[in-house]
């Protein structure tokens, strides 16, 4: 932040401008910001964003996140564990950096902010199924029944990456009769 | 008819249809108003046929006309072909009239 000081000598005033920059990084005061929720939730196949900021011991923001990195680990199951660094999109002045990633498989992950090799903070990340995709979804049921029988149908919905629907999709069914006969027993 | 659709687990939704009326039905499932899954179902009833009966005695050489109808398995009226009275016993209290109805399947 920029300041100025005022002084006078024999009735003549002087202004002195100076800047105060953030001190050494405080790992304890650095971490994720609340600007983006990508460190907590994401939709499979959709870009998500994480924001982080480094600060000094007085919470003054650092201008960069130099030496900081973000890693995501986890997956839909233990045998599908993945781990990858999240690339940074931007390092604007006053230090809030935005990181971008896309995960295709639903599951529980962990987002970790490192300063060098030091773990700064972590966040649980849940990746949810995206919108159901026509190409991978299916409808199954009997092609005929006898009168007064009940036909049971199954709709299986998955998104474009094969993740099963979590029940948030709006599904409605309709039967439209043709050549309907009330009774034909003779 | 619009059945109630229920989410179960693992990406599965279920619904049922009571086949109380015979016929052919289109089944359509709308998903997020983005796409539709389609299939068909037939509710089968009882197929077969029936002809009118003799109303009085019949004399040798006399011609009678029988009116026959046939229905397919969905209760729909179908054409009758090849129907004929083939033989008739000359006497007896209960003459046997072999009669074949061929459905146009």
């Amino acid at each position: 932040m920029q300041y100025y000081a005022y002084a006078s000598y024999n009735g003549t005033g002087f202004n002195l401008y100076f800047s105060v920059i953030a001190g050494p990084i405080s790992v304890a005061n650095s971490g994720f910001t609340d600007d983006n929720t990508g460190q907590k939730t994401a939709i499979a196949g959709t870009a998500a964003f994480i924001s982080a900021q480094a600060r000094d011991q007085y919470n003054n923001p650092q201008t960069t996140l130099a030496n900081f990195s973000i890693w995501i680990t986890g997956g839909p199951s233990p045998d599908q564990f993945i781990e990858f660094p999240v690339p940074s999109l931007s390092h604007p002045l006053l230090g809030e950096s935005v990181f971008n990633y896309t995960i295709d498989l639903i599951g529980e992950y962990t987002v970790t902010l490192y300063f060098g090799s030091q773990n700064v903070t972590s966040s649980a990340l849940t990746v949810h199924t995206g919108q159901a995709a026509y190409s991978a979804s299916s409808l199954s049921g009997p092609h005929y029944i006898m009168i007064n029988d009940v036909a049971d149908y199954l709709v299986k919905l998955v998104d474009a990456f094969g993740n099963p629907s979590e029940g948030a999709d709006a599904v409605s069914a309709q039967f439209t009769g043709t050549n309907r006969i009330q009774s034909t027993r003779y | 008819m619009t059945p109630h659709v229920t989410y179960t687990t693992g990406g599965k939704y279920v619904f049922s249809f009571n086949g109380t009326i015979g016929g052919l039905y289109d089944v359509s499932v709308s998903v997020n108003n983005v796409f539709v899954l389609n299939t068909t179902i037939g509710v089968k009833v009882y197929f077969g046929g029936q002809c009118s009966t003799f109303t009085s005695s019949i004399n040798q050489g006399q011609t009678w006309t029988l009116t026959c109808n046939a229905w397919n398995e969905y209760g729909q009226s179908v054409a009758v072909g090849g129907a004929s009275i083939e033989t008739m016993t000359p006497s007896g209290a209960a003459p046997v009239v072999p009669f074949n109805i061929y459905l146009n399947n």
Side-chain angles (χ1 to χ4, degrees):
Chain A
M1 181 171 289
Q2 192 172 59
Y3 296 87
Y4 75 91
Y6 175 79
S8 64
Y9 177 73
N10 286 338
T12 301
F14 300 93
N15 287 326
L16 176 61
Y17 291 90
F18 60 98
S19 296
V20 177
I21 62 173
I25 288 173
S26 166
V27 170
N29 290 338
S30 301
F32 300 121
T33 69
D34 293 331
D35 292 356
N36 293 294
T37 59
Q39 80 271 18
K40 296 178 181 176
T41 63
I43 302 298
T46 301
F49 301 90
I50 302 170
S51 296
Q53 188 161 49
R55 295 179 181 274
D56 66 11
Q57 63 176 323
Y58 303 107
N59 275 327
N60 295 307
Q62 294 284 343
T63 55
T64 73
L65 267 179
N67 296 322
F68 280 85
S69 62
I70 291 179
W71 283 73
I72 293 179
T73 59
S77 62
D79 60 344
Q80 291 178 284
F81 186 87
I82 59 175
E83 181 178 29
F84 64 95
V86 182
S88 175
L89 284 180
S90 61
H91 295 285
L93 291 176
L94 297 182
E96 183 177 310
S97 295
V98 179
F99 295 77
N100 164 247
Y101 69 92
T102 302
I103 295 177
D104 294 340
L105 297 179
I106 63 171
E108 300 300 326
Y109 296 80
T110 300
V111 181
T112 305
L113 176 66
Y114 290 97
F115 177 64
S117 60
Q118 183 179 359
N119 184 326
V120 177
T121 185
S122 295
S123 175
L125 165 66
T126 301
V127 178
H128 297 283
T129 301
Q131 195 170 68
Y134 172 77
S135 59
S137 298
S138 63
L139 166 64
S140 59
H143 291 297
Y144 73 87
I145 56 174
M146 294 305 296
I147 193 163
N148 295 324
D149 284 350
V150 176
D152 293 321
Y153 287 89
L154 172 65
V155 181
K156 190 171 183 180
L157 300 182
V158 296
D159 66 12
F161 305 97
N163 300 302
S165 169
E166 296 173 302
D169 295 283
V171 181
S172 61
Q174 188 167 30
F175 294 91
T176 304
T178 57
N179 299 318
R180 294 166 60 173
I181 303 297
Q182 288 283 357
S183 174
T184 57
R185 186 163 195 174
Y186 291 88
Chain B
M1 177 189 162
T2 304
H4 180 67
V5 180
T6 302
Y7 176 76
T8 58
T9 184
K12 298 173 183 175
Y13 294 77
V14 295
F15 62 93
S16 297
F17 171 60
N18 287 324
T20 56
I21 300 176
L24 299 173
Y25 295 81
D26 293 321
V27 186
S28 62
V29 176
S30 174
V31 180
N32 298 322
N33 290 321
V34 173
F35 62 86
V36 176
L37 302 170
N38 290 304
T39 186
T40 60
I41 186 172
V43 179
K44 294 185 177 183
V45 289
Y46 300 93
F47 67 93
Q50 187 181 49
C51 294
S52 59
T53 59
F54 298 108
T55 57
S56 62
S57 62
I58 185 171
N59 298 318
Q60 187 173 10
Q62 184 178 353
T63 300
W64 288 78
T65 300
L66 299 178
T67 302
C68 298
N69 294 291
W71 302 271
N72 68 11
E73 61 191 357
Y74 298 109
Q76 299 165 319
S77 180
V78 296
V80 177
S84 63
I85 296 176
E86 298 176 348
T87 60
M88 186 170 68
T89 56
S91 63
V96 177
V97 183
F99 189 79
N100 297 317
I101 294 177
Y102 301 93
L103 299 181
N104 295 333
N105 289 327

